[in-house]
Amino acid sequence: MYLNQLSVFIENREGRLDQVLEALKEENINIVSLSLADSSDYGLLRMIVSDAEKGKAILKDRGFTAMLTPVLAVKLSHQVGQLQVLLSEICKAGINIDYMYALATGSDDASIVIKTADLKEAADVLGKAGVEFIKAEEIGK
C-alpha cells in the first residue's frame, strides 16, 4: 500500500540537480514523479522512481544525502472536486497532511502522492472511503 519515496538533499548551487539526475539515468532508474522545494542554501528533491532502494544506494555512493520515506499514492477520477473529497476524509479524521504532489502513472486517472502525519490511519480512512491505492509494481520502469 505504501510507496517508497526517494528524497535527496541538494546544495542550492548550479549543477547539483543535474548530477542527481545523471546518476539515476546512468543506472536506468526512471523518475515517475518529483517535487523540488528550495531554500537559499539547499533543495529537497522528492521522487517516486522505478527502484527507490537502488536509487538511494547510488546517490549515497556519489556523496548525496538520500533517504527513503513511505508515502501513499492514490488514484483520483477526473471529476471536479475529487481532490477535495479525498482530502476531506483525511481532515475529518484529524490527520495532518505534510505535503503532496502529482504522480504520473500513464493511466486516464489523476494520481497524487500524499505524506501525512499518520500514514497508517490515513490509509485506513481512505481505504474505508473506497480510494484506490497505487502499488509499487504499478510504477513505470
Side-chain angles (χ1 to χ4, degrees):
M1 170 175 326
Y2 304 119
L3 292 182
N4 274 328
Q5 171 187 268
L6 177 59
S7 300
V8 186
F9 291 94
I10 307 170
E11 298 90 358
N12 196 357
R13 61 185 172 91
E14 189 175 322
R16 291 300 279 167
L17 177 59
D18 184 56
Q19 292 170 349
V20 169
L21 300 178
E22 181 69 24
L24 296 176
K25 180 181 86 172
E26 286 175 2
E27 296 296 327
N28 202 33
I29 296 174
N30 187 33
I31 301 169
V32 179
S33 190
L34 64 84
S35 170
L36 178 61
D38 73 327
S39 70
S40 59
D41 297 326
Y42 70 92
L44 177 57
L45 178 63
R46 295 178 173 123
M47 299 177 284
I48 302 298
V49 298
S50 58
D51 190 336
E53 294 281 347
K54 183 178 176 184
K56 176 186 170 190
I58 289 160
L59 292 172
K60 282 190 170 253
D61 285 348
R62 295 193 184 198
F64 289 95
T65 301
M67 64 184 190
L68 299 180
T69 306
V71 294
L72 296 173
V74 299
K75 293 180 183 177
L76 297 169
S77 62
H78 277 293
Q79 296 176 355
V80 173
Q82 288 304 297
L83 179 59
Q84 188 278 326
V85 169
L86 176 124
L87 297 181
S88 178
E89 292 297 322
I90 294 172
C91 183
K92 283 189 262 182
I95 303 167
N96 186 53
I97 297 173
D98 297 331
Y99 57 83
M100 65 183 195
Y101 54 93
L103 174 64
T105 60
S107 75
D108 291 335
D109 291 324
S111 303
I112 59 170
V113 173
I114 303 174
K115 172 70 171 77
T116 67
D118 187 334
L119 279 182
K120 183 183 180 325
E121 186 177 353
D124 290 345
V125 166
L126 293 176
K128 288 176 186 170
V131 170
E132 186 177 351
F133 295 97
I134 297 170
K135 299 169 188 69
E137 53 271 11
E138 295 178 72
I139 298 301
K141 299 276 181 196

